[in-house]
Amino acid sequence: MNLTRSLLKSNPSRNLVLIILILLLLPTVSTDYFSSLVGKAIIFAIFAISLDLAWGYGGILSLGHSVFFGLGAYAFTITSLNIGTPFGIFLGIVLGVFVPIIIAALVSSFVFFSKTSPFYIGVVTLSLALLAEKMVIRFSSFTGGQNGLSGVPEFPFYGVPLYYFILLIFVLVVVVSSILVKSDMGKIIMGVRENEERMQFLGFSTPLVRTMIFCLSGSLAGFAGILYASFDGFVSPSLVGFTLGTQVIVWVAIGGRGNIVGAVIGALLINILSPYFNEYFPYVWQSILGLFFIITVVFFPKGIYSFIDKSRKSAVKYDVTVKPQEVKILNSKSNILNINNLGVSFGKLSILKDLSLKINTGELQCIIGPNGAGKTTLINAITGRNNPTNGTVVIDSSSIEKERPETIVDKGIARTFQSTNIVGNLTVAENLQLATANGKFQSFYQNTKEIHLSPSTDKLLKLSRLEEKMTLLASELAHGDQQLLELCMAIALEPKVLLLDEPTAGLTGLERKEIGKILIHLAHEDNISILVIEHDIDFVKEIADRVTVLYDGTIAADGTVDQITQSDLVKKVYLGGH
Amino acid sequence: MSLSILSVVLLNIVTSIAIFFVIAVGLAVIFGLMDVVNLAHGEFVMLGAYAAFITSQLGLNPWLSFVIAPVIVAIFGLFIEKILIRHLYGKIMESILATWGLGIILRQVIELIFGKDYKIAPYPVEQTVNVFGAGYPVYRLLIVVLALVIVALLWYLERKTNVGVTVRAVIQNPNLSSALGININRVYSISFVVGSALAGLAGAIIAPLVSVHSGMGINYVMNGFLTVLVGGMGSLFGLVGSASLLGGSESVFSFFFDPVWGSIAVILITIVFMRFKKTSI
Amino acid sequence: MSFIKINSLTSGYSNTVIIRNIDIEVNEGEVLCLLGRNGVGKTTLLKTIMGLLPTLDGECFVMDRKVSGLKPYQIANLRVSYAPQDMGIFPDLSVGKNLKVGYRGSTSNFEEGCEEAFVHFPILKERLTQRAGTLSGGEKKMLILSRCIVNQPRLLILDEITEGVQPSIIDKFSDALNDIKKKGTTILLVEQNVSFAEKVADFYAVMNQGEIVAMDQMGRGSKQKIESYLVI
């Protein structure tokens, strides 16, 4: 009773300490059979953590994660059996970790670098598991085929029972992976899971981030496989097969994905209970697990651990420091971005036709035009969201029309989206921290509580009062604040050119005025070139240095606010008169 | 290579393509229309195969299994649509996981009822025809005919009837279709039922060729998923094309090397194809 | 009781409020035209009435029936026809099949309806078997309006039906609308083209920043008044 109460009260790390203590004391009171059962469950918990890293944290649904587990087990077993010395065991461990990494990297290079959906990733990983099982059976001279391989050597830790060694490894894995998911890199991984597009336009190579976490996860799964082979002394095709791949998903989903403790609890609980229930209620138990899995997936995506762990994500304070103001050489009104004969078509439909446009340093330029004129398509073409069909886009004398979004961000072009695009389940501070990383991989172990902002971002942060909401989750912000946060993130990238797609949509008049002031300041004081798509003509009049009218994929007019508002052509286009 | 071997190989390629197609088509109907991935499709095929087995156990004419299996699986599909799939429209990740769980349950329940042993479903026709001196089972040719009938029927439905107009409208623009008075949820549930019936039919078709058991689905349906991935959605002839590419390669590699190389070829072709395909799902 | 009654309607996309506290009443057989500059919420209002966007607050009645909360197809089945501004056709279906989508009357009625539409837009008859995606912008708009005519609606909702239509053909659209109006059909339309609105509408309402800022009977001098709101 006391135990359950403290379990219910406590936070994740306390729960873990409790679990580890129980596991540590277990062999002294239990039978050998039960200890060996728990030993396997601990190994499977490590396996579950590996899947949780890929799926729960990385958003990569690997339906055939058993491939990595099994490959680790087989690579270790085959090497150590064939060489047979402690060196063989050592080499086996190395191969058992690296073979899965190689496979994971290969899969990643094909799967993450094209447009992907969870369906594609799931089907490919699942088919790999089915294939691996067939291959193990087919190439029986290496693998022992159906019969498997026995006599797998134990790790040479004479004197220390393997159970304790495994427990030690488990503790290490839990600690290391907990540090990783809380680290600066962990935030990037979660950012990619939540909002791949935003992360791309913050300059991160999201395929690379996914490849990294998938390889890491694969190697950990392989390592769990090594432990399993060594502990059980026997490997068989079922270790690579699809059944185990299914089971590990069930453990993680029921326990709680996206949570190390959840995955551990799911794996331990189900693996320790299953042998008993399987004996007394053979098929019913598995069916109930399946049913429980469906219910969890549909109604409680965070698993059973979300019922135990009531601790809210505590509001972490971040310190904001401001970079010294850079002294910029102002050669006013020089071209920064040149767009020449830009064309974008989808199939036969051409959206932009031979569009040429120059963007000047420190100028605030507004683009207006009716729906479907190609305004958003223009920004998409500049930023690499849709590569243009023809024409060139040149910034600072380098062509970017064929580059990926993250490269274009790196060249100094930042953007916002029409519908706000932020990482909802991270705090405001964490969102800003992601932006200041400038697309670079961050520390895998440090959890930095400091954000180093450019002076203009800091100014905007104060003006927008977001400074007072740093510890809130971005998804909890009001719509206007989310727009402002996205703007802050774009500015934190310290761009030379800032492209804003309807930054005032859905804002009240007062908020519009505030944003207007900020934009003028950014352009005129901080010398950033700003291109704003805007519907609200009053707002345009207030802020624009130059107005461009886009109509039917081409530029209908370009000039100062006065020139534009007096042009008959523009009146016609804009009012729809004919 | 003698003429008889060559013709048998060619016929094997054609029947292999037909099998790839009949397994994939139900999946493609559901995925193309609803954006719901039925990962339990293999288990639906398995149910169809068991229906064929039961048909023969009851002493009924084996031909009847081609009616009984689709009907039973369609009714089952209707039930599943009502209690589960309905909550998953448009949620691709959840649909994958939930139908994955459904597959687990179906395998367990079938094993509980019918046991672990492999069942045999009889051939409706046992004759062989003489192909340049080699005997070739008529049933395998029949599969090709059935596949062609399914293609023709679906093509007719899609192109020539009001049902086809409705379905194509919903695929192209669900919102507009709804605003024009089409109850899209009903279209979805009907298409799930049709997809289930096609899975049941596929099960009845392959049942005599294989040993029927609870775990049979996943192996066959894997090829179905890959076929749908390569063929893209909403295109009948795209599906026929990808079934030809993958089914053809599988049987060629299986013939010259062995079935494992056949499976390897199918997966590698899919991955490479998807990597360089312009638009993908 | 009015044919359409909208009470303090508020709506938008997820958590973005686009239109606030809209009140509108239209009697049976009347034509109301909504005007306003780009992005003021006209399309949002029509989509909300059609059930394509969630009503955040307030309510909307059509023929004394509360339609807020109904699905789009349920509203359409009250004999409401809707012509969206963007993506109003099925590009991969033929012109003939585009007319048929959602139609649920008899074949002879359908053919009658088609003939009625072809009186105004004979070009469509020539292109019956052509893929709708290959039509020009103006022809697409004709197709959309024809589909509404075929369905013989009691309420017609049009979102910028004249957008991209050549001036020389625009009169055909107003003729067609006036024919529909003669049958007693109530029409709610969004327009940018003020002269077109003047020809077909009985009443007008001007929207700005999500709210209705002016509403009056269409008549002499209305055009100047409306344009004073629209001018940039």
Side-chain angles (χ1 to χ4, degrees), chain A residues 95-133:
Chain A
L95 286 178
V97 171
F98 274 93
V99 173
I101 290 187
I102 291 166
I103 298 294
L106 265 174
V107 172
S108 302
S109 69
F110 276 98
V111 171
F112 301 138
F113 287 83
S114 52
K115 277 185 187 166
T116 49
S117 76
F119 177 44
Y120 179 44
I121 295 167
V123 166
V124 168
T125 48
L126 177 57
S127 63
L128 281 181
L130 290 168
L131 184 67
E133 199 171 357

Coordinates of all heavy atoms in Angstrom, one line a residue, chain A residues 95-133:
Chain A
L95 N 30.9 -5.7 -33.8 CA 30.1 -6.0 -35.0 C 28.6 -5.9 -34.7 O 27.8 -5.4 -35.5 CB 30.5 -7.3 -35.7 CG 31.8 -7.3 -36.4 CD1 32.1 -8.7 -36.9 CD2 31.8 -6.3 -37.5
G96 N 28.3 -6.5 -33.6 CA 26.9 -6.5 -33.1 C 26.3 -5.1 -33.0 O 25.1 -5.0 -33.1
V97 N 27.1 -4.1 -32.8 CA 26.6 -2.8 -32.7 C 26.7 -2.1 -34.1 O 25.8 -1.4 -34.5 CB 27.4 -2.0 -31.7 CG1 27.1 -0.5 -31.8 CG2 27.1 -2.5 -30.3
F98 N 27.8 -2.4 -34.8 CA 28.0 -1.7 -36.1 C 27.2 -2.2 -37.3 O 26.8 -1.4 -38.1 CB 29.5 -1.6 -36.4 CG 30.1 -0.4 -35.7 CD1 30.8 -0.6 -34.5 CD2 30.1 0.8 -36.3 CE1 31.3 0.5 -33.8 CE2 30.7 1.9 -35.7 CZ 31.3 1.7 -34.4
V99 N 27.0 -3.5 -37.3 CA 26.1 -4.0 -38.4 C 24.8 -3.4 -38.4 O 24.3 -2.9 -39.4 CB 26.1 -5.6 -38.4 CG1 25.1 -6.1 -39.4 CG2 27.5 -6.1 -38.7
P100 N 24.1 -3.3 -37.3 CA 22.8 -2.6 -37.2 C 22.9 -1.2 -37.6 O 22.0 -0.6 -38.3 CB 22.3 -2.7 -35.8 CG 23.0 -3.9 -35.3 CD 24.3 -4.0 -36.0
I101 N 24.0 -0.5 -37.2 CA 24.2 0.9 -37.6 C 24.2 1.1 -39.1 O 23.6 1.9 -39.7 CB 25.4 1.5 -37.0 CG1 25.3 1.7 -35.5 CG2 25.8 2.9 -37.6 CD1 26.4 2.4 -34.8
I102 N 25.0 0.1 -39.8 CA 25.1 0.2 -41.2 C 23.8 0.0 -41.9 O 23.4 0.8 -42.8 CB 26.2 -0.8 -41.7 CG1 27.6 -0.5 -41.2 CG2 26.1 -1.0 -43.2 CD1 28.6 -1.6 -41.3
I103 N 23.0 -1.0 -41.4 CA 21.7 -1.2 -42.0 C 20.8 0.0 -41.8 O 20.1 0.4 -42.7 CB 21.1 -2.5 -41.4 CG1 21.9 -3.7 -41.7 CG2 19.7 -2.7 -41.9 CD1 22.0 -4.1 -43.1
A104 N 20.8 0.5 -40.6 CA 20.0 1.7 -40.3 C 20.3 2.9 -41.2 O 19.5 3.6 -41.7 CB 20.1 2.1 -38.8
A105 N 21.7 3.0 -41.4 CA 22.1 4.2 -42.2 C 21.6 4.0 -43.6 O 21.2 4.9 -44.3 CB 23.6 4.3 -42.1
L106 N 21.7 2.7 -44.1 CA 21.3 2.4 -45.5 C 19.8 2.7 -45.7 O 19.4 3.4 -46.6 CB 21.6 0.9 -45.8 CG 22.9 0.6 -46.5 CD1 23.1 -0.9 -46.6 CD2 22.9 1.3 -47.9
V107 N 19.0 2.2 -44.7 CA 17.6 2.4 -44.8 C 17.3 3.9 -44.8 O 16.5 4.4 -45.6 CB 16.9 1.7 -43.6 CG1 15.4 2.1 -43.5 CG2 17.0 0.2 -43.7
S108 N 18.0 4.6 -43.8 CA 17.8 6.0 -43.7 C 18.0 6.8 -45.0 O 17.3 7.6 -45.4 CB 18.7 6.6 -42.6 OG 18.4 6.0 -41.4
S109 N 19.1 6.4 -45.7 CA 19.5 7.1 -46.9 C 18.5 7.0 -47.9 O 18.3 7.9 -48.8 CB 20.9 6.6 -47.4 OG 20.8 5.3 -47.9
F110 N 17.7 5.9 -47.9 CA 16.7 5.7 -48.9 C 15.4 6.3 -48.4 O 14.6 6.9 -49.2 CB 16.5 4.3 -49.3 CG 17.4 3.8 -50.3 CD1 18.6 3.1 -49.9 CD2 17.2 4.0 -51.6 CE1 19.5 2.7 -50.9 CE2 18.1 3.6 -52.6 CZ 19.3 2.9 -52.2
V111 N 15.1 6.2 -47.2 CA 13.7 6.5 -46.7 C 13.6 7.9 -46.3 O 12.6 8.6 -46.6 CB 13.4 5.5 -45.5 CG1 12.1 6.0 -44.9 CG2 13.2 4.1 -46.0
F112 N 14.5 8.5 -45.6 CA 14.3 9.9 -45.1 C 14.7 11.0 -46.1 O 14.3 12.1 -45.9 CB 15.2 10.1 -43.8 CG 14.8 9.1 -42.7 CD1 15.8 8.5 -42.0 CD2 13.5 8.8 -42.5 CE1 15.5 7.6 -41.0 CE2 13.2 7.9 -41.5 CZ 14.2 7.3 -40.7
F113 N 15.4 10.6 -47.1 CA 15.8 11.7 -48.0 C 14.9 11.9 -49.2 O 15.1 12.7 -50.1 CB 17.3 11.4 -48.5 CG 18.3 11.7 -47.4 CD1 18.6 10.7 -46.5 CD2 18.9 12.9 -47.3 CE1 19.5 11.0 -45.5 CE2 19.8 13.2 -46.3 CZ 20.1 12.2 -45.4
S114 N 13.8 11.1 -49.2 CA 12.7 11.5 -50.2 C 11.5 11.8 -49.4 O 11.5 11.7 -48.1 CB 12.4 10.3 -51.1 OG 12.2 9.1 -50.3
K115 N 10.4 12.3 -50.0 CA 9.2 12.6 -49.3 C 8.7 11.4 -48.7 O 8.5 10.4 -49.4 CB 8.2 13.3 -50.2 CG 8.4 14.7 -50.4 CD 7.3 15.3 -51.3 CE 7.7 16.8 -51.6 NZ 6.8 17.3 -52.6
T116 N 8.5 11.4 -47.4 CA 8.1 10.1 -46.7 C 6.8 10.3 -46.0 O 6.4 11.4 -45.6 CB 9.2 9.7 -45.7 OG1 9.5 10.8 -44.9 CG2 10.4 9.2 -46.5
S117 N 6.2 9.1 -45.7 CA 5.0 9.1 -44.8 C 5.3 8.0 -43.9 O 6.1 7.1 -44.1 CB 3.7 8.8 -45.6 OG 3.7 7.5 -46.0
P118 N 4.6 8.0 -42.7 CA 4.8 6.9 -41.8 C 4.5 5.6 -42.4 O 5.1 4.5 -42.1 CB 3.7 7.2 -40.7 CG 3.2 8.6 -40.9 CD 3.7 9.0 -42.2
F119 N 3.5 5.6 -43.4 CA 3.2 4.3 -44.1 C 4.4 3.7 -44.8 O 4.7 2.6 -44.6 CB 2.1 4.6 -45.1 CG 1.7 3.4 -45.9 CD1 1.5 2.2 -45.3 CD2 1.4 3.5 -47.2 CE1 1.1 1.1 -46.1 CE2 1.0 2.5 -48.0 CZ 0.9 1.2 -47.4
Y120 N 5.1 4.6 -45.5 CA 6.3 4.1 -46.2 C 7.3 3.6 -45.3 O 7.9 2.5 -45.5 CB 6.8 5.3 -47.1 CG 8.0 4.9 -47.9 CD1 8.1 3.7 -48.6 CD2 9.1 5.8 -48.0 CE1 9.2 3.4 -49.3 CE2 10.2 5.5 -48.7 CZ 10.3 4.3 -49.4 OH 11.4 4.0 -50.1
I121 N 7.7 4.4 -44.3 CA 8.7 3.9 -43.3 C 8.3 2.6 -42.6 O 9.0 1.7 -42.5 CB 8.9 5.0 -42.3 CG1 9.5 6.3 -42.9 CG2 9.9 4.5 -41.2 CD1 9.5 7.5 -42.1
G122 N 7.0 2.5 -42.2 CA 6.5 1.3 -41.6 C 6.6 0.1 -42.5 O 7.1 -0.9 -42.1
V123 N 6.2 0.3 -43.7 CA 6.2 -0.9 -44.7 C 7.6 -1.3 -44.9 O 7.9 -2.5 -45.0 CB 5.4 -0.5 -46.0 CG1 5.7 -1.5 -47.0 CG2 3.9 -0.4 -45.7
V124 N 8.5 -0.4 -45.2 CA 9.9 -0.8 -45.5 C 10.5 -1.5 -44.3 O 11.1 -2.5 -44.5 CB 10.7 0.5 -45.9 CG1 12.2 0.1 -45.9 CG2 10.3 1.0 -47.2
T125 N 10.4 -1.0 -43.1 CA 11.0 -1.6 -41.9 C 10.3 -3.0 -41.7 O 11.0 -4.0 -41.4 CB 10.8 -0.8 -40.7 OG1 9.5 -0.3 -40.5 CG2 11.8 0.4 -40.7
L126 N 9.0 -3.1 -41.9 CA 8.3 -4.3 -41.7 C 8.8 -5.4 -42.7 O 9.1 -6.5 -42.4 CB 6.8 -4.1 -41.8 CG 5.9 -5.4 -41.7 CD1 6.2 -6.1 -40.4 CD2 4.5 -5.0 -41.8
S127 N 9.0 -4.9 -43.9 CA 9.4 -5.9 -45.0 C 10.8 -6.3 -44.7 O 11.2 -7.5 -45.0 CB 9.3 -5.3 -46.4 OG 10.1 -4.2 -46.5
L128 N 11.6 -5.4 -44.1 CA 13.0 -5.8 -43.8 C 13.0 -7.0 -42.7 O 13.8 -7.9 -42.8 CB 13.8 -4.6 -43.3 CG 14.3 -3.7 -44.3 CD1 15.1 -2.6 -43.6 CD2 15.2 -4.4 -45.3
A129 N 12.1 -6.8 -41.8 CA 12.0 -7.9 -40.7 C 11.6 -9.2 -41.3 O 12.2 -10.3 -41.0 CB 11.0 -7.5 -39.6
L130 N 10.6 -9.2 -42.2 CA 10.2 -10.4 -42.9 C 11.3 -11.0 -43.7 O 11.6 -12.2 -43.7 CB 9.0 -10.1 -43.8 CG 7.7 -9.8 -43.0 CD1 6.7 -9.3 -44.0 CD2 7.2 -11.1 -42.3
L131 N 12.0 -10.1 -44.4 CA 13.1 -10.5 -45.3 C 14.2 -11.1 -44.4 O 14.8 -12.2 -44.8 CB 13.6 -9.3 -46.1 CG 14.7 -9.6 -47.1 CD1 14.1 -10.5 -48.2 CD2 15.2 -8.4 -47.7
A132 N 14.6 -10.4 -43.3 CA 15.7 -10.9 -42.5 C 15.4 -12.3 -42.0 O 16.3 -13.2 -42.0 CB 15.9 -9.9 -41.3
E133 N 14.2 -12.6 -41.6 CA 13.8 -13.9 -41.1 C 14.0 -14.9 -42.1 O 14.6 -16.0 -41.9 CB 12.4 -13.9 -40.6 CG 12.1 -15.0 -39.6 CD 10.7 -14.9 -39.0 OE1 10.0 -13.8 -39.3 OE2 10.3 -15.8 -38.3

